[in-house]
Amino acid sequence: MPILDKLRLDGRVAIMTGAGRGLGRAMALALAEAGTDLVATARTQLQIEETAVLVRERGRRCLPVVCDVTDSGSVNAMVEAALAEYGRIDILVNNAGGITPGFANSLTDISDQTWRTGIDTNLTGAMYCSRAVIPHMVKQASGKIINVTSGFGLRAGRDNFMYTTAKAGLINFTRSLSLTYGPAIQANLVAPGLFPHDDPAMSEWWKGGKYTPMGRLGRDEELGPLCVFLASDLTSYMNGQIIVLDGGGLAGGHAPTGFAPVVPLAEEEGRGK
Amino acid sequence: MTDEFSLAGKNALVIGASNSLGRAAAVALAEAGANVGVTTSTRLQREEVAANSCANEIWALNRKGFAQAIDAADEADVRAAIERAVLEFGKLDVLVNAQDLPFAKPLTEITPAEWRRVLDVNLTGVYLACRAAGERMLSQEYGRVINIASVLGERGMANGAAYCAAQAGVLNMTRALALEWARRGVTVNAIGAGWTAGMGIIGGDEGRQALERYLPYKRLAKPEEIAGAVVYLASDAAAYLTGQVIWIEGGALSHV
C-alpha cells in the first residue's frame, strides 16, 4: 500500500476528549478528514455540538457526549454511549485538561481540593478514559491512545505545581500503558508548545512567539496532522513516545521567558580559532 | 488530510541509503511523491550495489533519482552528492542523514584510527552534509533535515563507546542546529530508530535473537516502520516541528 494511503483512517472510530474547542477540535476535524467517525466529548454541550456540525460537514459521523473526565461514572457512561453508537473504539485522544483554579498558587496556598482538581483534570481523567476504553481495544487486539501532555510535563515552572506534576505523570502513565498493552495497542503522547488558540490575550502574554526559536506561536490546526500520524498504521512500532510540537522551544532555552542563550560568535570572542 | 503529507514536487537526498534504514527512508520519500537521490555511507562495493538497487526502486515509482558511491566522511564526496542532487532536480528540499558505520569493540582495544573513523562517518558525516545542504536550504529559505540516529544515542551499550558517542552527538547536534536555523525556514529533527532489521550494529543472528528476547515488542523494527516518520518530518504537516527526536523503538527506551 502506498505510504500516504496508510494515513487514511476510514472506518475507524475515535473518542476525543476536550473536543469543544482549541486543540481538541482541531484534532477531531483532522481525524474526520482522515476518515474517522468521532465521539466528541467535553463539559460544555454547545461547544461539542458545534464540533459535531464541523465533523459532519466533512462527511463523517459525530456523537457529541457531555462528559466530565474527572468523574469516572460520567466517563464510563460516555464510553458506553460510544460503543452503543458505533460498536467499536479504535482511537482515544486524551486531550481534556488545562489550568485549574489556583494553578499559579504558591505551594503553601494550595488547598487539598485545589491540588486534587488540578491532578484529576490533567492526569486522573486520562486514566479514567483509558481504563474504560482498554478492554474494548484488547478485545479488538488493536487500538491507539494519544495523550496530550505539555512542555510543562518535560520542564518545570515556578509556582506551577499541579499542572507540571500531572502532565509529567501522564508521560510515565503512557509509557506503562505502552509496555502493558503493546504491541497490539500503541499509546503515545503529543506535547504542544505555546498555542494561543486564537486568543489575543494569550498571544500577547507569549509576545506573539518572539522568544520561541521559530519566532511564532503554534496554530491549532498544526496539531491535526500529528494526531493523524500517531493514529495511523505508520506508527505501529512507536509506543510510549512523545512528539513535541513547539517550534524548537524545548530544544534549547525556555521559550516564554526569553531565556534562550546565544553565545557570542567565535570571531567576536576569539574562541574556536 | 493526507495532502498535507504529500511530497509531490519535493527533491530529497538520502545519505547512506545502502543500509536498510536509509533505503526504506528513500523509498518512502519517493512513494510520497519526492524525487530522491541516494548515496552509500562508504565506498564498499556491496554498498554501491545496494544504493543502485535502491535507485532502481525509486525509478520504478516513476520518480527521478540517482545513486552515487561516496565516503560519507569525505567533504568533497558529500559536497559532490549534494551538488548532483541540485543539478539533477534543480533544487534540494530534504536531506536525510542515514550514514552508518557499525562498530563494537572493547574500549581498550579501539585504536585511535578506528575511533576517529567511527566518529567521522557517523557524526562528522552529518555535519558535512548539513553544511553543504544548509547553504542551499538557507538561501532558498526552505529545507528539511532529518537525521536518523539510534537508541544507542540515548542508552549505552558495552563495547559500543565509539558508536554510542557518535549517535548521541548526532542527537544534540540536531537540537543545536535546529535553533540556529529555526527562523530561516529550515527544520532539523532526528529519528531515534530502535533496533532495526538489516542494520549492521545488530551483529548477526545471535545479536538478533538476544534482542528479540529483550525488546518489549519481541521483534526488531522493520525498516519501513521507521520510514513513516521520515515522510511526516519532510512534509508540510510538520512545519512547526524542529529540534526534536522522534523515537520509534518498540518500547526499548520505556522499560527498566
Side-chain angles (χ1 to χ4, degrees), chain B residues 14-20 23 38-55 67-72 98-102 117 121-122 200:
Chain B
V14 179
I15 310 272
S18 42
N19 64 60
S20 64
R23 181 182 185 131
V38 301
T39 80
T40 60
S41 298
T42 73
R43 286 183 171 278
L44 287 174
Q45 197 188 358
R46 64 174 161 77
E47 285 204 40
E48 193 173 346
V49 170
N52 277 313
S53 159
C54 179
Q68 188 148 323
I70 68 164
D71 185 324
Q99 55 278 70
D100 188 64
L101 184 68
R117 180 68 180 151
V121 174
N122 292 309

PDB file of all heavy atoms in Angstrom, chain B residues 14-20 23 38-55 67-72 98-102 117 121-122 200:
ATOM      1  N   VAL B  14      19.230  11.202   0.197  1.00  0.00           N
ATOM      2  CA  VAL B  14      19.411  10.326   1.356  1.00  0.00           C
ATOM      3  C   VAL B  14      20.859   9.841   1.355  1.00  0.00           C
ATOM      4  O   VAL B  14      21.276   9.098   0.455  1.00  0.00           O
ATOM      5  CB  VAL B  14      18.451   9.123   1.326  1.00  0.00           C
ATOM      6  CG1 VAL B  14      18.687   8.235   2.543  1.00  0.00           C
ATOM      7  CG2 VAL B  14      17.005   9.599   1.279  1.00  0.00           C
ATOM      8  N   ILE B  15      21.616  10.288   2.363  1.00  0.00           N
ATOM      9  CA  ILE B  15      22.992   9.817   2.513  1.00  0.00           C
ATOM     10  C   ILE B  15      22.933   8.482   3.251  1.00  0.00           C
ATOM     11  O   ILE B  15      22.319   8.386   4.317  1.00  0.00           O
ATOM     12  CB  ILE B  15      23.830  10.815   3.348  1.00  0.00           C
ATOM     13  CG1 ILE B  15      23.678  12.242   2.813  1.00  0.00           C
ATOM     14  CG2 ILE B  15      25.280  10.365   3.442  1.00  0.00           C
ATOM     15  CD1 ILE B  15      24.609  12.654   1.742  1.00  0.00           C
ATOM     16  N   GLY B  16      23.529   7.464   2.701  1.00  0.00           N
ATOM     17  CA  GLY B  16      23.539   6.171   3.376  1.00  0.00           C
ATOM     18  C   GLY B  16      22.319   5.317   3.086  1.00  0.00           C
ATOM     19  O   GLY B  16      21.836   4.574   3.954  1.00  0.00           O
ATOM     20  N   ALA B  17      21.809   5.401   1.859  1.00  0.00           N
ATOM     21  CA  ALA B  17      20.658   4.557   1.500  1.00  0.00           C
ATOM     22  C   ALA B  17      21.100   3.132   1.180  1.00  0.00           C
ATOM     23  O   ALA B  17      20.288   2.304   0.751  1.00  0.00           O
ATOM     24  CB  ALA B  17      19.897   5.156   0.326  1.00  0.00           C
ATOM     25  N   SER B  18      22.358   2.843   1.399  1.00  0.00           N
ATOM     26  CA  SER B  18      22.858   1.485   1.209  1.00  0.00           C
ATOM     27  C   SER B  18      22.532   0.592   2.405  1.00  0.00           C
ATOM     28  O   SER B  18      22.656  -0.623   2.322  1.00  0.00           O
ATOM     29  CB  SER B  18      24.372   1.532   0.982  1.00  0.00           C
ATOM     30  OG  SER B  18      24.968   2.462   1.873  1.00  0.00           O
ATOM     31  N   ASN B  19      22.143   1.185   3.540  1.00  0.00           N
ATOM     32  CA  ASN B  19      21.693   0.349   4.663  1.00  0.00           C
ATOM     33  C   ASN B  19      20.165   0.302   4.683  1.00  0.00           C
ATOM     34  O   ASN B  19      19.491   1.056   3.976  1.00  0.00           O
ATOM     35  CB  ASN B  19      22.277   0.851   5.988  1.00  0.00           C
ATOM     36  CG  ASN B  19      21.788   2.238   6.366  1.00  0.00           C
ATOM     37  OD1 ASN B  19      20.592   2.450   6.534  1.00  0.00           O
ATOM     38  ND2 ASN B  19      22.709   3.202   6.497  1.00  0.00           N
ATOM     39  N   SER B  20      19.626  -0.587   5.517  1.00  0.00           N
ATOM     40  CA  SER B  20      18.184  -0.862   5.439  1.00  0.00           C
ATOM     41  C   SER B  20      17.339   0.351   5.820  1.00  0.00           C
ATOM     42  O   SER B  20      16.296   0.608   5.206  1.00  0.00           O
ATOM     43  CB  SER B  20      17.825  -2.061   6.319  1.00  0.00           C
ATOM     44  OG  SER B  20      18.064  -1.790   7.679  1.00  0.00           O
ATOM     45  N   ARG B  23      17.575   3.049   3.021  1.00  0.00           N
ATOM     46  CA  ARG B  23      16.819   2.607   1.839  1.00  0.00           C
ATOM     47  C   ARG B  23      15.313   2.764   2.054  1.00  0.00           C
ATOM     48  O   ARG B  23      14.602   3.283   1.187  1.00  0.00           O
ATOM     49  CB  ARG B  23      17.145   1.148   1.529  1.00  0.00           C
ATOM     50  CG  ARG B  23      16.405   0.662   0.300  1.00  0.00           C
ATOM     51  CD  ARG B  23      16.677  -0.801   0.011  1.00  0.00           C
ATOM     52  NE  ARG B  23      16.030  -1.175  -1.234  1.00  0.00           N
ATOM     53  CZ  ARG B  23      16.615  -1.831  -2.219  1.00  0.00           C
ATOM     54  NH1 ARG B  23      17.870  -2.201  -2.110  1.00  0.00           N
ATOM     55  NH2 ARG B  23      15.952  -2.129  -3.309  1.00  0.00           N
ATOM     56  N   VAL B  38      20.283   9.019  -3.897  1.00  0.00           N
ATOM     57  CA  VAL B  38      20.790   8.247  -2.759  1.00  0.00           C
ATOM     58  C   VAL B  38      22.304   8.060  -2.871  1.00  0.00           C
ATOM     59  O   VAL B  38      22.861   8.081  -3.971  1.00  0.00           O
ATOM     60  CB  VAL B  38      20.113   6.858  -2.650  1.00  0.00           C
ATOM     61  CG1 VAL B  38      18.607   7.014  -2.501  1.00  0.00           C
ATOM     62  CG2 VAL B  38      20.442   5.968  -3.839  1.00  0.00           C
ATOM     63  N   THR B  39      22.941   7.866  -1.718  1.00  0.00           N
ATOM     64  CA  THR B  39      24.376   7.592  -1.694  1.00  0.00           C
ATOM     65  C   THR B  39      24.657   6.410  -0.780  1.00  0.00           C
ATOM     66  O   THR B  39      23.790   5.959  -0.037  1.00  0.00           O
ATOM     67  CB  THR B  39      25.198   8.785  -1.161  1.00  0.00           C
ATOM     68  OG1 THR B  39      25.135   8.773   0.274  1.00  0.00           O
ATOM     69  CG2 THR B  39      24.682  10.127  -1.687  1.00  0.00           C
ATOM     70  N   THR B  40      25.895   5.979  -0.840  1.00  0.00           N
ATOM     71  CA  THR B  40      26.393   4.989   0.114  1.00  0.00           C
ATOM     72  C   THR B  40      26.902   5.715   1.362  1.00  0.00           C
ATOM     73  O   THR B  40      26.966   6.949   1.390  1.00  0.00           O
ATOM     74  CB  THR B  40      27.562   4.221  -0.511  1.00  0.00           C
ATOM     75  OG1 THR B  40      28.587   5.182  -0.834  1.00  0.00           O
ATOM     76  CG2 THR B  40      27.151   3.489  -1.782  1.00  0.00           C
ATOM     77  N   SER B  41      27.297   4.942   2.369  1.00  0.00           N
ATOM     78  CA  SER B  41      27.997   5.508   3.521  1.00  0.00           C
ATOM     79  C   SER B  41      29.504   5.435   3.313  1.00  0.00           C
ATOM     80  O   SER B  41      30.247   6.321   3.737  1.00  0.00           O
ATOM     81  CB  SER B  41      27.640   4.747   4.803  1.00  0.00           C
ATOM     82  OG  SER B  41      26.270   4.839   5.095  1.00  0.00           O
ATOM     83  N   THR B  42      29.949   4.341   2.713  1.00  0.00           N
ATOM     84  CA  THR B  42      31.377   4.162   2.427  1.00  0.00           C
ATOM     85  C   THR B  42      31.493   3.618   1.002  1.00  0.00           C
ATOM     86  O   THR B  42      30.490   3.323   0.353  1.00  0.00           O
ATOM     87  CB  THR B  42      32.045   3.171   3.402  1.00  0.00           C
ATOM     88  OG1 THR B  42      31.621   1.844   3.068  1.00  0.00           O
ATOM     89  CG2 THR B  42      31.674   3.478   4.855  1.00  0.00           C
ATOM     90  N   ARG B  43      32.734   3.468   0.543  1.00  0.00           N
ATOM     91  CA  ARG B  43      32.918   3.052  -0.847  1.00  0.00           C
ATOM     92  C   ARG B  43      33.022   1.532  -1.005  1.00  0.00           C
ATOM     93  O   ARG B  43      33.524   1.047  -2.011  1.00  0.00           O
ATOM     94  CB  ARG B  43      34.148   3.754  -1.434  1.00  0.00           C
ATOM     95  CG  ARG B  43      33.862   5.228  -1.729  1.00  0.00           C
ATOM     96  CD  ARG B  43      35.046   5.903  -2.361  1.00  0.00           C
ATOM     97  NE  ARG B  43      34.726   7.250  -2.837  1.00  0.00           N
ATOM     98  CZ  ARG B  43      34.139   7.524  -3.997  1.00  0.00           C
ATOM     99  NH1 ARG B  43      33.794   6.558  -4.824  1.00  0.00           N
ATOM    100  NH2 ARG B  43      33.909   8.772  -4.346  1.00  0.00           N
ATOM    101  N   LEU B  44      32.546   0.786  -0.049  1.00  0.00           N
ATOM    102  CA  LEU B  44      32.498  -0.669  -0.202  1.00  0.00           C
ATOM    103  C   LEU B  44      31.614  -1.035  -1.395  1.00  0.00           C
ATOM    104  O   LEU B  44      30.562  -0.428  -1.613  1.00  0.00           O
ATOM    105  CB  LEU B  44      31.908  -1.331   1.048  1.00  0.00           C
ATOM    106  CG  LEU B  44      32.789  -1.361   2.292  1.00  0.00           C
ATOM    107  CD1 LEU B  44      31.999  -1.927   3.470  1.00  0.00           C
ATOM    108  CD2 LEU B  44      34.057  -2.165   2.048  1.00  0.00           C
ATOM    109  N   GLN B  45      32.054  -2.066  -2.141  1.00  0.00           N
ATOM    110  CA  GLN B  45      31.306  -2.399  -3.349  1.00  0.00           C
ATOM    111  C   GLN B  45      29.874  -2.848  -3.051  1.00  0.00           C
ATOM    112  O   GLN B  45      28.935  -2.509  -3.762  1.00  0.00           O
ATOM    113  CB  GLN B  45      32.040  -3.474  -4.147  1.00  0.00           C
ATOM    114  CG  GLN B  45      31.513  -3.525  -5.573  1.00  0.00           C
ATOM    115  CD  GLN B  45      32.049  -4.700  -6.367  1.00  0.00           C
ATOM    116  OE1 GLN B  45      32.861  -5.488  -5.872  1.00  0.00           O
ATOM    117  NE2 GLN B  45      31.604  -4.812  -7.598  1.00  0.00           N
ATOM    118  N   ARG B  46      29.710  -3.613  -1.945  1.00  0.00           N
ATOM    119  CA  ARG B  46      28.350  -4.079  -1.651  1.00  0.00           C
ATOM    120  C   ARG B  46      27.428  -2.908  -1.326  1.00  0.00           C
ATOM    121  O   ARG B  46      26.211  -2.966  -1.550  1.00  0.00           O
ATOM    122  CB  ARG B  46      28.347  -5.114  -0.527  1.00  0.00           C
ATOM    123  CG  ARG B  46      28.813  -4.627   0.803  1.00  0.00           C
ATOM    124  CD  ARG B  46      28.621  -5.706   1.881  1.00  0.00           C
ATOM    125  NE  ARG B  46      29.443  -5.464   3.047  1.00  0.00           N
ATOM    126  CZ  ARG B  46      29.160  -4.551   3.978  1.00  0.00           C
ATOM    127  NH1 ARG B  46      28.085  -3.807   3.876  1.00  0.00           N
ATOM    128  NH2 ARG B  46      29.976  -4.378   5.012  1.00  0.00           N
ATOM    129  N   GLU B  47      27.976  -1.830  -0.807  1.00  0.00           N
ATOM    130  CA  GLU B  47      27.144  -0.638  -0.560  1.00  0.00           C
ATOM    131  C   GLU B  47      26.723   0.008  -1.865  1.00  0.00           C
ATOM    132  O   GLU B  47      25.601   0.491  -2.007  1.00  0.00           O
ATOM    133  CB  GLU B  47      27.908   0.374   0.291  1.00  0.00           C
ATOM    134  CG  GLU B  47      27.992  -0.024   1.745  1.00  0.00           C
ATOM    135  CD  GLU B  47      28.202   1.191   2.649  1.00  0.00           C
ATOM    136  OE1 GLU B  47      27.597   2.244   2.398  1.00  0.00           O
ATOM    137  OE2 GLU B  47      29.007   1.070   3.590  1.00  0.00           O
ATOM    138  N   GLU B  48      27.650   0.011  -2.820  1.00  0.00           N
ATOM    139  CA  GLU B  48      27.326   0.612  -4.112  1.00  0.00           C
ATOM    140  C   GLU B  48      26.212  -0.184  -4.800  1.00  0.00           C
ATOM    141  O   GLU B  48      25.276   0.395  -5.374  1.00  0.00           O
ATOM    142  CB  GLU B  48      28.579   0.669  -4.989  1.00  0.00           C
ATOM    143  CG  GLU B  48      28.391   1.550  -6.205  1.00  0.00           C
ATOM    144  CD  GLU B  48      29.677   1.749  -6.996  1.00  0.00           C
ATOM    145  OE1 GLU B  48      30.766   1.419  -6.462  1.00  0.00           O
ATOM    146  OE2 GLU B  48      29.592   2.213  -8.135  1.00  0.00           O
ATOM    147  N   VAL B  49      26.309  -1.490  -4.697  1.00  0.00           N
ATOM    148  CA  VAL B  49      25.270  -2.352  -5.277  1.00  0.00           C
ATOM    149  C   VAL B  49      23.924  -2.051  -4.620  1.00  0.00           C
ATOM    150  O   VAL B  49      22.897  -1.893  -5.296  1.00  0.00           O
ATOM    151  CB  VAL B  49      25.648  -3.847  -5.102  1.00  0.00           C
ATOM    152  CG1 VAL B  49      24.480  -4.745  -5.482  1.00  0.00           C
ATOM    153  CG2 VAL B  49      26.887  -4.176  -5.920  1.00  0.00           C
ATOM    154  N   ALA B  50      23.946  -1.929  -3.286  1.00  0.00           N
ATOM    155  CA  ALA B  50      22.698  -1.672  -2.563  1.00  0.00           C
ATOM    156  C   ALA B  50      22.112  -0.310  -2.941  1.00  0.00           C
ATOM    157  O   ALA B  50      20.890  -0.176  -3.108  1.00  0.00           O
ATOM    158  CB  ALA B  50      22.939  -1.745  -1.056  1.00  0.00           C
ATOM    159  N   ALA B  51      22.964   0.697  -3.085  1.00  0.00           N
ATOM    160  CA  ALA B  51      22.467   2.039  -3.430  1.00  0.00           C
ATOM    161  C   ALA B  51      21.877   2.036  -4.841  1.00  0.00           C
ATOM    162  O   ALA B  51      20.837   2.669  -5.094  1.00  0.00           O
ATOM    163  CB  ALA B  51      23.594   3.065  -3.316  1.00  0.00           C
ATOM    164  N   ASN B  52      22.513   1.325  -5.746  1.00  0.00           N
ATOM    165  CA  ASN B  52      21.967   1.235  -7.102  1.00  0.00           C
ATOM    166  C   ASN B  52      20.618   0.531  -7.111  1.00  0.00           C
ATOM    167  O   ASN B  52      19.691   0.933  -7.824  1.00  0.00           O
ATOM    168  CB  ASN B  52      22.953   0.498  -8.014  1.00  0.00           C
ATOM    169  CG  ASN B  52      24.029   1.440  -8.539  1.00  0.00           C
ATOM    170  OD1 ASN B  52      23.722   2.529  -9.004  1.00  0.00           O
ATOM    171  ND2 ASN B  52      25.284   1.034  -8.436  1.00  0.00           N
ATOM    172  N   SER B  53      20.520  -0.516  -6.324  1.00  0.00           N
ATOM    173  CA  SER B  53      19.258  -1.241  -6.236  1.00  0.00           C
ATOM    174  C   SER B  53      18.155  -0.332  -5.683  1.00  0.00           C
ATOM    175  O   SER B  53      17.009  -0.360  -6.137  1.00  0.00           O
ATOM    176  CB  SER B  53      19.477  -2.477  -5.354  1.00  0.00           C
ATOM    177  OG  SER B  53      18.264  -2.938  -4.855  1.00  0.00           O
ATOM    178  N   CYS B  54      18.516   0.508  -4.733  1.00  0.00           N
ATOM    179  CA  CYS B  54      17.555   1.468  -4.170  1.00  0.00           C
ATOM    180  C   CYS B  54      17.113   2.456  -5.240  1.00  0.00           C
ATOM    181  O   CYS B  54      15.922   2.775  -5.358  1.00  0.00           O
ATOM    182  CB  CYS B  54      18.189   2.186  -2.984  1.00  0.00           C
ATOM    183  SG  CYS B  54      17.124   3.417  -2.234  1.00  0.00           S
ATOM    184  N   ALA B  55      18.073   2.939  -6.037  1.00  0.00           N
ATOM    185  CA  ALA B  55      17.719   3.885  -7.106  1.00  0.00           C
ATOM    186  C   ALA B  55      16.777   3.228  -8.113  1.00  0.00           C
ATOM    187  O   ALA B  55      15.835   3.866  -8.613  1.00  0.00           O
ATOM    188  CB  ALA B  55      18.981   4.385  -7.799  1.00  0.00           C
ATOM    189  N   ALA B  67      21.992   7.207  -7.951  1.00  0.00           N
ATOM    190  CA  ALA B  67      22.786   6.606  -6.870  1.00  0.00           C
ATOM    191  C   ALA B  67      24.223   7.055  -7.051  1.00  0.00           C
ATOM    192  O   ALA B  67      24.734   7.102  -8.173  1.00  0.00           O
ATOM    193  CB  ALA B  67      22.693   5.088  -6.927  1.00  0.00           C
ATOM    194  N   GLN B  68      24.853   7.406  -5.951  1.00  0.00           N
ATOM    195  CA  GLN B  68      26.246   7.842  -6.015  1.00  0.00           C
ATOM    196  C   GLN B  68      27.038   7.182  -4.897  1.00  0.00           C
ATOM    197  O   GLN B  68      26.627   7.234  -3.733  1.00  0.00           O
ATOM    198  CB  GLN B  68      26.307   9.372  -5.898  1.00  0.00           C
ATOM    199  CG  GLN B  68      27.693   9.910  -6.158  1.00  0.00           C
ATOM    200  CD  GLN B  68      27.648  11.294  -6.804  1.00  0.00           C
ATOM    201  OE1 GLN B  68      26.782  11.587  -7.634  1.00  0.00           O
ATOM    202  NE2 GLN B  68      28.587  12.143  -6.433  1.00  0.00           N
ATOM    203  N   ALA B  69      28.169   6.563  -5.278  1.00  0.00           N
ATOM    204  CA  ALA B  69      29.041   5.961  -4.271  1.00  0.00           C
ATOM    205  C   ALA B  69      29.901   7.056  -3.661  1.00  0.00           C
ATOM    206  O   ALA B  69      30.613   7.767  -4.378  1.00  0.00           O
ATOM    207  CB  ALA B  69      29.918   4.885  -4.912  1.00  0.00           C
ATOM    208  N   ILE B  70      29.803   7.211  -2.359  1.00  0.00           N
ATOM    209  CA  ILE B  70      30.625   8.224  -1.687  1.00  0.00           C
ATOM    210  C   ILE B  70      31.177   7.655  -0.394  1.00  0.00           C
ATOM    211  O   ILE B  70      30.712   6.631   0.111  1.00  0.00           O
ATOM    212  CB  ILE B  70      29.818   9.503  -1.340  1.00  0.00           C
ATOM    213  CG1 ILE B  70      28.770   9.225  -0.243  1.00  0.00           C
ATOM    214  CG2 ILE B  70      29.159  10.107  -2.581  1.00  0.00           C
ATOM    215  CD1 ILE B  70      28.223  10.468   0.416  1.00  0.00           C
ATOM    216  N   ASP B  71      32.172   8.335   0.138  1.00  0.00           N
ATOM    217  CA  ASP B  71      32.571   8.127   1.522  1.00  0.00           C
ATOM    218  C   ASP B  71      31.952   9.279   2.299  1.00  0.00           C
ATOM    219  O   ASP B  71      32.309  10.440   2.085  1.00  0.00           O
ATOM    220  CB  ASP B  71      34.100   8.149   1.637  1.00  0.00           C
ATOM    221  CG  ASP B  71      34.546   7.812   3.057  1.00  0.00           C
ATOM    222  OD1 ASP B  71      33.854   8.211   4.032  1.00  0.00           O
ATOM    223  OD2 ASP B  71      35.573   7.151   3.202  1.00  0.00           O
ATOM    224  N   ALA B  72      30.983   8.943   3.159  1.00  0.00           N
ATOM    225  CA  ALA B  72      30.204   9.992   3.834  1.00  0.00           C
ATOM    226  C   ALA B  72      31.055  10.836   4.769  1.00  0.00           C
ATOM    227  O   ALA B  72      30.590  11.866   5.273  1.00  0.00           O
ATOM    228  CB  ALA B  72      29.041   9.359   4.601  1.00  0.00           C
ATOM    229  N   ALA B  98      21.412   9.226   6.859  1.00  0.00           N
ATOM    230  CA  ALA B  98      21.278   7.843   7.343  1.00  0.00           C
ATOM    231  C   ALA B  98      22.616   7.112   7.264  1.00  0.00           C
ATOM    232  O   ALA B  98      22.658   5.879   7.351  1.00  0.00           O
ATOM    233  CB  ALA B  98      20.212   7.102   6.531  1.00  0.00           C
ATOM    234  N   GLN B  99      23.693   7.886   7.084  1.00  0.00           N
ATOM    235  CA  GLN B  99      25.003   7.233   7.009  1.00  0.00           C
ATOM    236  C   GLN B  99      25.264   6.423   8.279  1.00  0.00           C
ATOM    237  O   GLN B  99      24.920   6.864   9.375  1.00  0.00           O
ATOM    238  CB  GLN B  99      26.133   8.250   6.760  1.00  0.00           C
ATOM    239  CG  GLN B  99      26.247   9.409   7.715  1.00  0.00           C
ATOM    240  CD  GLN B  99      25.301  10.529   7.373  1.00  0.00           C
ATOM    241  OE1 GLN B  99      24.121  10.357   7.548  1.00  0.00           O
ATOM    242  NE2 GLN B  99      25.810  11.667   6.924  1.00  0.00           N
ATOM    243  N   ASP B 100      25.873   5.273   8.118  1.00  0.00           N
ATOM    244  CA  ASP B 100      26.029   4.375   9.272  1.00  0.00           C
ATOM    245  C   ASP B 100      27.278   3.528   9.106  1.00  0.00           C
ATOM    246  O   ASP B 100      27.461   2.876   8.079  1.00  0.00           O
ATOM    247  CB  ASP B 100      24.799   3.461   9.390  1.00  0.00           C
ATOM    248  CG  ASP B 100      24.834   2.646  10.680  1.00  0.00           C
ATOM    249  OD1 ASP B 100      24.786   3.267  11.759  1.00  0.00           O
ATOM    250  OD2 ASP B 100      24.923   1.406  10.604  1.00  0.00           O
ATOM    251  N   LEU B 101      28.111   3.577  10.124  1.00  0.00           N
ATOM    252  CA  LEU B 101      29.258   2.665  10.175  1.00  0.00           C
ATOM    253  C   LEU B 101      29.175   1.920  11.498  1.00  0.00           C
ATOM    254  O   LEU B 101      29.519   2.456  12.540  1.00  0.00           O
ATOM    255  CB  LEU B 101      30.584   3.438  10.082  1.00  0.00           C
ATOM    256  CG  LEU B 101      31.834   2.555  10.032  1.00  0.00           C
ATOM    257  CD1 LEU B 101      31.919   1.771   8.731  1.00  0.00           C
ATOM    258  CD2 LEU B 101      33.093   3.404  10.196  1.00  0.00           C
ATOM    259  N   PRO B 102      28.653   0.684  11.464  1.00  0.00           N
ATOM    260  CA  PRO B 102      28.505  -0.055  12.720  1.00  0.00           C
ATOM    261  C   PRO B 102      29.867  -0.438  13.292  1.00  0.00           C
ATOM    262  O   PRO B 102      30.792  -0.744  12.527  1.00  0.00           O
ATOM    263  CB  PRO B 102      27.716  -1.302  12.304  1.00  0.00           C
ATOM    264  CG  PRO B 102      27.946  -1.448  10.835  1.00  0.00           C
ATOM    265  CD  PRO B 102      28.204  -0.087  10.294  1.00  0.00           C
ATOM    266  N   ARG B 117      37.514   7.052  12.780  1.00  0.00           N
ATOM    267  CA  ARG B 117      36.734   6.633  11.615  1.00  0.00           C
ATOM    268  C   ARG B 117      35.239   6.489  11.968  1.00  0.00           C
ATOM    269  O   ARG B 117      34.364   6.907  11.200  1.00  0.00           O
ATOM    270  CB  ARG B 117      37.295   5.308  11.077  1.00  0.00           C
ATOM    271  CG  ARG B 117      36.571   4.757   9.863  1.00  0.00           C
ATOM    272  CD  ARG B 117      36.758   5.607   8.632  1.00  0.00           C
ATOM    273  NE  ARG B 117      36.039   5.038   7.488  1.00  0.00           N
ATOM    274  CZ  ARG B 117      35.549   5.763   6.495  1.00  0.00           C
ATOM    275  NH1 ARG B 117      35.729   7.079   6.467  1.00  0.00           N
ATOM    276  NH2 ARG B 117      34.908   5.197   5.507  1.00  0.00           N
ATOM    277  N   VAL B 121      32.419   8.963  10.155  1.00  0.00           N
ATOM    278  CA  VAL B 121      31.287   8.586   9.300  1.00  0.00           C
ATOM    279  C   VAL B 121      29.968   8.907   9.993  1.00  0.00           C
ATOM    280  O   VAL B 121      29.075   9.534   9.407  1.00  0.00           O
ATOM    281  CB  VAL B 121      31.343   7.085   8.925  1.00  0.00           C
ATOM    282  CG1 VAL B 121      30.081   6.680   8.152  1.00  0.00           C
ATOM    283  CG2 VAL B 121      32.590   6.792   8.095  1.00  0.00           C
ATOM    284  N   ASN B 122      29.826   8.498  11.264  1.00  0.00           N
ATOM    285  CA  ASN B 122      28.525   8.570  11.924  1.00  0.00           C
ATOM    286  C   ASN B 122      28.160   9.966  12.412  1.00  0.00           C
ATOM    287  O   ASN B 122      26.974  10.301  12.504  1.00  0.00           O
ATOM    288  CB  ASN B 122      28.476   7.599  13.107  1.00  0.00           C
ATOM    289  CG  ASN B 122      28.499   6.149  12.667  1.00  0.00           C
ATOM    290  OD1 ASN B 122      27.718   5.742  11.816  1.00  0.00           O
ATOM    291  ND2 ASN B 122      29.416   5.367  13.209  1.00  0.00           N
ATOM    292  N   GLY B 200      23.712  -3.064  10.626  1.00  0.00           N
ATOM    293  CA  GLY B 200      24.942  -3.768  10.951  1.00  0.00           C
ATOM    294  C   GLY B 200      25.248  -3.881  12.431  1.00  0.00           C
ATOM    295  O   GLY B 200      25.880  -4.847  12.876  1.00  0.00           O
TER     296      GLY B 200
END
